[in-house]
Amino acid sequence: MDGVGGRRFVRGVNGGQLPERRSWVEQIMGLPVSVLARGDRAWSAPAEAVVQEVFAELVEVDRVFSPYKTDSAVTRLVRGELAWSEVDPVVREVATRCDRARELTGGLFDAIPPGGGWDPLGLVKGWGVELASQRLSGVADLDWCLNAGGDVVVLCPSGRPFTVGIQDPRDPGRVVATVARTGGAVATSGTAARGAHLYDPRTGDPVLTGWLSVSVSGPSLETADVLATAAFVAGDAWPVVLSAVPGYEGLGILADGTLRASPGWNADGSEGSR
């Protein structure tokens, strides 16, 4: 391993040098999905193969669960073309997970929209990305960071953390805080990417809040993503939502740029906020 100008390299074929990091990006589920590998085997054939498996699995998740695809299981269920007894078991599993998420959040998260039907997208993204990320551990001695539109899963067998940036919801090109993680996940819910698209399942009304985003870190991306959504819906009470689930911490950003962190936000090695 050689270092030049602060960058690390590994020896390639015929003595050539390859950077220690390698990244891949695909557009899946309507958002950019990137994978970053770090380590001596970042440019190996097994690394390439496992990343393609991750992308293929996420394409399949989108095929089955997207409410925007006319032939997805979700769309056909809502149209009445499929009965629950006819769907693939994985669809029933996700429905069960959505029910658990509703119970976990006291109704702040719900896959049943105000107008009826079924839309599990708020859970499927985190669940699907976390499920796909498990394939990455099949290539030993590599650190991985999987980022799906700002929701991040990290696996660092080296013990060397990745630093995850928290985007400024008022300026997508600016990072307002960072958290360093060697494992687990970070998820964010808010208005930056899709505008005011969330509603309160308890009332059916749009969410009106002074918070622009809430980011949640913890062991599971599925849970962090659900909690981020529920916390954003809860408004000023978002820290109470997180305090009910051990192992998860949050950072909220107000419309004026003020940051508010839960007590343990920096406990996992974060570099803090600024």
Side-chain angles (χ1 to χ4, degrees):
M1 180 91 59
D2 297 318
V4 179
R7 298 182 65 193
R8 302 180 73 189
F9 297 85
V10 295
R11 290 292 182 185
V13 178
N14 299 323
Q17 291 182 324
L18 296 173
E20 185 202 25
R21 297 182 178 220
R22 183 182 180 188
S23 61
W24 299 256
V25 181
E26 294 283 350
Q27 193 79 10
I28 306 173
M29 299 188 290
L31 48 86
V33 178
S34 66
V35 181
L36 172 63
R38 181 179 65 191
D40 291 0
R41 302 182 66 195
W43 293 82
S44 68
E48 170 71 29
V50 78
V51 170
Q52 296 309 316
E53 290 177 7
V54 167
F55 287 151
E57 183 156 350
L58 291 176
V59 168
E60 177 64 9
V61 168
D62 189 43
R63 184 190 71 80
V64 174
F65 290 100
S66 173
Y68 306 110
K69 294 183 181 298
T70 58
D71 59 346
S72 74
V74 169
T75 301
R76 296 183 66 199
L77 274 168
V78 172
R79 287 201 304 248
E81 297 172 4
L82 279 178
W84 280 103
S85 60
E86 298 173 309
V87 298
D88 190 284
V90 72
V91 179
R92 293 194 292 272
E93 177 189 347
V94 165
T96 298
R97 289 176 179 270
C98 288
D99 291 342
R100 290 173 182 165
R102 184 181 62 249
E103 295 172 4
L104 179 70
T105 62
L108 290 166
F109 174 94
D110 199 335
I112 308 299
W118 188 57
D119 182 1
L121 206 57
L123 179 134
V124 161
K125 179 185 171 187
W127 166 80
V129 171
E130 183 172 4
L131 185 67
S133 73
Q134 295 173 8
R135 295 179 177 270
L136 298 173
S137 61
V139 181
D141 304 322
L142 274 181
D143 295 336
W144 296 98
C145 180
L146 172 54
N147 185 334
D151 290 346
V152 178
V153 176
V154 170
L155 301 86
C156 296
S158 72
R160 199 158 46 111
F162 281 111
T163 299
V164 180
I166 306 300
Q167 184 185 71
D168 186 342
R170 303 166 302 169
D171 180 1
R174 181 170 177 260
V175 171
V176 295
T178 61
V179 57
R181 296 201 64 94
T182 57
V186 181
T188 297
S189 183
T191 59
R194 297 172 57 192
H197 66 287
L198 294 175
Y199 61 90
D200 187 334
R202 300 166 301 179
T203 64
D205 296 328
V207 173
L208 300 176
T209 175
W211 298 91
L212 294 183
S213 70
V214 178
S215 298
V216 176
S217 67
S220 162
L221 180 59
E222 177 185 341
T223 302
D225 204 12
V226 165
L227 289 175
T229 299
F232 188 79
V233 172
D236 290 344
W238 71 259
V240 177
V241 175
L242 300 191
S243 67
V245 187
Y248 292 84
E249 302 293 341
L251 176 73
I253 304 177
L254 282 165
D256 64 1
T258 300
L259 307 184
R260 179 182 177 186
S262 63
W265 171 254
N266 294 330
D268 57 4
S270 106
E271 296 183 1
S273 57
R274 60 182 184 273

